[in-house]
Amino acid sequence: MTAPHRFRFLLCDLDDTLYPTHQGVMKAVGERISRYLVERLGVPPDAAPEIRRYYHDRYGTSMRGLMLHYGIQPDDYLEYVHDLPLTELIQRDPQLDSVLDRICLRKVIITNASREHAIRVLDILGVGHHFERILDIRDFGYHSKPHRVAYERSLRCLQAAPGECILVEDSLRNIAPARAMGMASVWMRNASIEMPTGPLPADLCIDDILHLADALAPLIGC
């Protein structure tokens, strides 16, 4: 079944979007980044978390800041920070599998993480077969969401126009530039994030990824 409207692609963020934040994957990644700063770069342990957060807030990922200021090798970094016991944190999700099966768009992962990490997560969740492609931080030229170049590179890879895409993201900061380019957006709002005042900064908002198909149905007609 194909969508009768203009949309062709569902661009899905990975971490904290396809599974709940409380499962702790990104918390574990943050701890690995701090450990990388200490073990690889000699940063004092008490300073590492602050440096990690500062670079993340300024550049979109801590890795980008470390590349610019410390000259790190990105592949070594990506392997180190994603060396996680994922099977202890997330598990197979048959309900998510069913939800994705109902959405009649071509599905692509778009992540600031590595392709290897994305494959592991999708495999554990049991939903990898729904996604025809994974676009990772390397595909973005080591730029990252929310920077516009990450979306421009993604669109070139897919040979798609912004108006043909719906972005599903847990980060409003990442949604804003995609929406400005003309993409539709679904904000996967985690429980710890308050609803902003004023107009909704996304086209749709859900608080559970299992609501995605129902939320999209009026937009895509399936």
Side-chain angles (χ1 to χ4, degrees), residues 7-11 155 158 160-167 182-184:
F7 298 109
R8 296 171 56 213
F9 290 99
L10 187 71
L11 308 183
L155 293 172
L158 299 174
E164 296 177 311
C165 300
I166 302 173
L167 177 67
M183 294 188 202

Side-chain angles (χ1 to χ4, degrees), residues 47-193:
E50 182 178 354
I51 292 173
R52 167 175 60 83
R53 287 189 293 267
Y54 173 76
Y55 285 156
H56 178 273
D57 292 345
R58 181 173 179 183
Y59 297 108
T61 60
S62 301
M63 185 183 77
R64 184 67 180 170
L66 293 174
M67 289 175 66
L68 293 173
H69 295 280
Y70 285 84
I72 67 163
Q73 294 299 313
D75 286 337
D76 174 67
Y77 171 92
L78 290 168
E79 181 178 0
Y80 187 100
V81 303
H82 292 124
D83 184 12
L84 303 170
L86 286 175
T87 55
E88 298 175 13
L89 300 171
I90 56 176
Q91 48 282 144
R92 192 171 188 84
D93 192 341
Q95 289 180 290
L96 178 60
D97 184 26
S98 297
V99 167
L100 292 171
D101 195 50
R102 291 172 52 200
I103 300 171
C104 56
L105 297 175
R106 297 168 65 183
K107 302 171 189 71
V108 176
I109 292 293
I110 175 171
T111 178
N112 284 343
S114 68
R115 178 173 289 102
E116 293 83 357
H117 172 72
I119 290 171
R120 289 181 65 205
V121 169
L122 295 174
D123 183 57
I124 294 169
L125 292 174
V127 298
H129 58 286
H130 291 289
F131 295 93
E132 66 178 62
R133 193 160 186 177
I134 296 169
L135 298 177
D136 75 345
I137 192 74
R138 299 184 188 96
D139 293 302
F140 307 155
Y142 297 108
H143 296 279
S144 63
K145 300 177 292 179
H147 297 291
R148 185 183 177 98
V149 66
Y151 300 106
E152 291 173 339
R153 284 175 173 261
S154 297
L155 293 172
R156 282 200 296 271
C157 286
L158 299 174
Q159 296 185 312
E164 296 177 311
C165 300
I166 302 173
L167 177 67
V168 184
E169 257 282 356
D170 68 297
S171 167
L172 286 177
R173 184 170 76 153
N174 290 349
I175 285 175
R179 202 175 185 211
M181 292 172 67
M183 294 188 202
S185 57
V186 180
W187 179 30
M188 175 51 240
R189 185 175 73 91
N190 292 304
S192 61
I193 306 299

